[in-house]
Amino acid sequence: MTTNNIHREEACCPATEILKQLAGKWKPEIFRLALDGPVRFNSLLRQLPGSNKQSVATALKEMEEADILVKTVVQEKPLHIEYTLSERGRAMVTVFRSMEGLLG
């Protein structure tokens, strides 16, 4: 099998695509924290030691674009933004928990 065929097969593999969408700095941790319900940006910064605003904002944006998270502007005082798992993100929970089970 040539390298080109391997790359085409990987590109067509749903598992590879899902793992790519959850790969990257902070994404697995953000996903894990969102399992418990809505998360706010500043809360994420506090719960992700070593993170910074730019890297967390980038991860959130990419996860929103991949339809893993939904961004909601909450019209309360003070105005704030929450991120929750989308329907697609909730569908990944079983797989994510299964992977966690492999570790222990």
Side-chain angles (χ1 to χ4, degrees), residues 6 13 25 29 40 42 44 59-60 73-74 78 90-91:
I6 292 170
C13 176
K25 193 104 173 154
E29 287 298 312
R40 293 187 189 184
N42 285 331
L44 288 171
L60 288 168
V73 177
V74 179
R90 287 189 305 274

Side-chain angles (χ1 to χ4, degrees), residues 71-98:
K71 178 180 176 179
T72 305
V73 177
V74 179
Q75 300 288 335
E76 296 176 355
K77 298 277 183 186
L79 183 73
H80 61 275
I81 296 173
E82 294 180 341
Y83 295 89
T84 55
L85 291 177
S86 66
E87 186 175 322
R88 183 169 185 262
R90 287 189 305 274
M92 296 175 163
V93 171
T94 305
V95 174
F96 191 80
R97 297 224 187 227
S98 294

